[in-house]
């Protein structure tokens, strides 16, 4: 019997939640029944080596380099049209941001990807299913011939400004929109109710065995020493969504409440965003307590070494690192962002704390001092299956299997 053919599109395989969830999906597919072509706009990123050997990685288009260089360099290399489109998007985005401060980077991507990717060559192969794993979804819709088109959403779009008249037509062309949580789907519906019938929920798929194996690969004692402090860890991109800029103040408040903590941050981002956090570290005099560990290919030994994992986000779709911390049986604390209740069961396998810095710090200090609660969270995580392995059946169902 011929294998069903699946096409998957994403940007690259750098270190990030979207990229790790894509690897989880690829690991879960039954390759005896399905063949998979993976198209990455950029063949780069630390997770490239984790692509399963059964996956057919399609060649990168030379034009893709325009996405990873400055606009000035794009002009110098002869990408006149592509550089002009990016410049246009940058100017338009800057003007819109004055009126809509919550304008997201997704909007800029939506604008210039739409104009640039229409010039990429079409893939003439016929697929049973095309999965666009990374927003926006123009490449898959325009360049792939498939019976069914599905686009993923990984964030809370009620917190970001997306111009409906430009974004809705793209979403309407998809057969289904896969939200990584019920709440993420509802958030998109709240701004684009026309999409209600297209939304399905496909949660991130994980391999607990792989996470545990990678957690044992490295000793991080030198970076996170056992010095008597409570070791807190947060992981993510330095950006508005992750709220790392408020960690120094929250940490200062916790210290003033009598808790001996060190708050480690693993992540990467624009220099501007990182420098904001560094300035706040100096402002609140927490240089010895808020420690930036930088970008890590394998974050799991650090999760294993921490005492408490905290995701202090302003908004999320569904945090991958929160689930990974639960797989490693850590007490998990998240802020009360709009999709928080889809992430954990409050008081059972994690705790939701207030978003404001004072309320957040007060509750964190209370949890840090409550060893009985921490042990309860750890024990409950040990009893749960966080793999979401059955979610792959929803993808098979889209093909008709």
């Amino acid at each position: 019997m011929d294998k069903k053919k699946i096409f998957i599109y994403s940007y690259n395989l750098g270190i990030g939640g979207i990229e790790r969830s894509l690897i989880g999906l690829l690991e879960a597919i039954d390759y005896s029944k399905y063949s998979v072509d993976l198209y990455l706009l950029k063949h780069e990123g630390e997770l490239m080596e984790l692509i399963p050997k059964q996956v057919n990685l399609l060649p990168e288009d030379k034009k893709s380099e325009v996405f990873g260089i400055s606009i000035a360099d794009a002009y110098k290399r002869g990408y006149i049209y592509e550089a002009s489109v990016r410049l246009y998007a940058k100017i338009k985005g800057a003007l819109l941001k004055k009126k809509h401060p919550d304008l997201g980077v997704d909007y800029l991507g939506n604008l210039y990807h739409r104009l640039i990717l229409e010039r990429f060559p079409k893939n003439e192969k016929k697929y049973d299913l095309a999965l666009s794993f990374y927003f926006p979804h123009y490449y898959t819709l325009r360049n792939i011939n498939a019976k069914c088109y599905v686009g993923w959403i990984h964030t809370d779009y009620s917190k970001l400004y997306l111009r409906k008249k430009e974004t809705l037509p793209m979403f309407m062309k998809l057969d289904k929109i896969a939200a990584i949580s019920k709440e993420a789907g509802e958030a998109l519906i709240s701004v684009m109710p026309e999409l209600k019938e297209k939304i399905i929920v496909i949660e991130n798929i994980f391999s607990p065995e792989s996470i545990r194996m990678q957690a044992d690969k490295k000793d991080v004692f030198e970076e996170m020493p056992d010095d008597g402090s409570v070791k807190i860890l947060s992981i993510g991109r330095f950006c508005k969504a992750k709220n790392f800029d408020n960690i120094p103040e929250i940490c200062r408040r916790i210290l003033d409440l009598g808790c001996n903590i060190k708050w480690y941050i693993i992540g990467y981002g624009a220099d501007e965003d990182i420098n904001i956090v560094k300035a706040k570290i100096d402002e609140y005099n927490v240089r010895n307590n808020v420690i930036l560990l930088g970008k890590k290919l394998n974050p799991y030994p650090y999760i294993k070494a921490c005492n408490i994992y905290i995701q202090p986000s302003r908004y999320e779709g569904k945090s991958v690192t929160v689930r990974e911390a639960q797989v490693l049986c850590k007490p998990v604390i998240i802020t009360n962002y709009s999709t928080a209740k889809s992430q954990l069961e409050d008081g059972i396998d994690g705790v939701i704390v207030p978003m404001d810095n004072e309320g957040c710090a007060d509750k964190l200090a209370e949890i840090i001092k409550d060893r009985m609660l921490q042990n309860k969270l750890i024990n409950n995580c040990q009893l749960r299956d966080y793999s979401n392995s059955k979610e792959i059946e929803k993808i098979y169902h889209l093909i008709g299997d």
Side-chain angles (χ1 to χ4, degrees), residues 150-153 175-182 185 195-203 394-395 398:
V150 182
W152 254 254
I153 54 171
D175 294 295
K176 294 293 180 182
I177 298 168
I180 59 172
S181 70
K182 177 174 174 283
L195 301 175
K196 184 177 180 179
E197 299 305 315
K198 291 181 179 287
I199 300 289
I200 58 175
V201 176
I202 301 179
E203 296 193 7
K394 296 179 182 178
I395 294 174
L398 293 168

Side-chain angles (χ1 to χ4, degrees), residues 315-330:
Y315 55 88
E316 289 277 355
K318 195 163 189 177
S319 171
V320 170
T321 48
V322 164
R323 185 64 80 229
E324 291 169 334
Q326 290 173 316
V327 167
L328 292 173
C329 300
K330 294 296 171 177

Side-chain angles (χ1 to χ4, degrees), residues 249-261 284 286 365 369:
E249 181 185 346
I250 296 169
C251 180
R252 178 75 268 163
R253 289 178 178 276
I254 295 172
L255 291 169
D256 291 344
L257 289 169
C259 297
N260 178 18
I261 68 167
Y284 289 98
V286 288
K369 295 174 183 177

Side-chain angles (χ1 to χ4, degrees), residues 132-145:
S132 182
F133 208 70
Y134 197 93
F135 182 94
H137 307 301
Y138 294 110
Y139 180 86
T140 304
L141 287 168
R142 290 178 169 177
N143 299 75
I144 301 303
N145 181 357

Side-chain angles (χ1 to χ4, degrees), residues 77-91:
R77 298 186 192 185
Y79 295 108
I80 307 303
Y81 170 79
E82 290 82 1
S84 299
V85 165
R86 284 182 56 192
L87 182 60
Y88 163 72
K90 185 176 181 179
I91 294 171

Side-chain angles (χ1 to χ4, degrees), residues 120-381:
F120 275 53
K122 293 186 182 299
N123 180 336
E124 300 298 338
K125 185 175 177 179
K126 294 182 179 180
Y127 294 93
D128 296 284
L129 179 65
L131 306 179
S132 182
F133 208 70
Y134 197 93
F135 182 94
H137 307 301
Y138 294 110
Y139 180 86
T140 304
L141 287 168
R142 290 178 169 177
N143 299 75
I144 301 303
N145 181 357
K147 295 176 183 177
C148 179
Y149 295 88
V150 182
W152 254 254
I153 54 171
H154 298 271
T155 193
D156 179 355
Y157 280 112
S158 67
K159 303 298 183 186
L160 295 172
Y161 177 69
L162 287 174
R163 296 193 82 191
K164 184 175 177 178
K165 68 177 183 180
E166 295 178 9
T167 311
L168 181 60
M170 175 197 68
F171 277 125
M172 289 299 293
K173 291 177 183 176
L174 294 165
D175 294 295
K176 294 293 180 182
I177 298 168
I180 59 172
S181 70
K182 177 174 174 283
E183 288 76 6
E186 290 172 345
L188 182 61
I189 293 169
S190 72
V191 293
M192 299 183 196
E194 298 90 340
L195 301 175
K196 184 177 180 179
E197 299 305 315
K198 291 181 179 287
I199 300 289
I200 58 175
V201 176
I202 301 179
E203 296 193 7
N204 293 321
I205 300 171
F206 298 90
S207 170
E209 296 77 14
S210 175
I211 291 171
R212 295 184 190 109
M213 181 180 68
Q214 292 180 69
D216 291 332
K217 281 189 173 181
K218 183 180 178 182
D219 186 338
V220 298
F221 178 79
E222 289 188 7
E223 293 173 277
M224 297 176 68
D226 293 327
D227 56 5
S229 64
V230 175
K231 293 178 286 187
I232 293 171
L233 179 66
S234 297
I235 300 175
R237 202 158 39 91
F238 283 78
C239 63
K240 181 180 178 181
K242 300 304 180 186
N243 198 28
F244 288 169
D245 52 298
N246 274 317
I247 286 178
E249 181 185 346
I250 296 169
C251 180
R252 178 75 268 163
R253 289 178 178 276
I254 295 172
L255 291 169
D256 291 344
L257 289 169
C259 297
N260 178 18
I261 68 167
K262 285 191 176 176
W263 196 324
Y264 298 90
I265 303 175
I266 289 176
Y268 62 97
D271 290 341
E272 177 185 358
D273 295 318
I274 296 173
N275 289 335
I276 288 172
V277 177
K278 288 180 177 178
K280 290 286 188 74
I281 288 173
D282 289 335
E283 178 183 348
Y284 289 98
N285 191 26
V286 288
R287 285 180 294 276
N288 295 323
N289 301 92
V290 177
I291 300 159
L292 307 185
L293 294 175
K295 192 175 184 180
K296 300 295 181 183
L297 171 59
N298 180 5
Y300 303 121
Y302 300 87
I303 298 176
K304 181 181 177 181
C306 79
N307 300 113
I308 297 172
Y309 182 85
I310 299 180
Q311 198 68 42
S313 302
R314 289 183 171 96
Y315 55 88
E316 289 277 355
K318 195 163 189 177
S319 171
V320 170
T321 48
V322 164
R323 185 64 80 229
E324 291 169 334
Q326 290 173 316
V327 167
L328 292 173
C329 300
K330 294 296 171 177
V332 169
I333 303 170
I334 63 176
T335 42
N336 192 25
Y337 44 83
S338 59
T339 61
K341 290 181 180 177
S342 73
Q343 187 78 71
L344 52 77
E345 192 174 353
D346 190 20
I348 304 300
D349 64 345
V351 178
I352 300 173
V353 300
M355 183 73 72
D356 67 286
N357 288 354
E358 182 177 0
C360 180
D362 288 347
K363 189 64 177 178
L364 287 176
E366 182 182 316
I367 298 167
I368 289 166
K369 295 174 183 177
D370 191 344
R371 284 296 304 166
M372 187 176 295
L373 173 60
Q374 292 178 43
N375 288 333
K376 174 186 175 183
L377 301 177
I378 291 169
N379 292 335
N380 286 335
C381 286

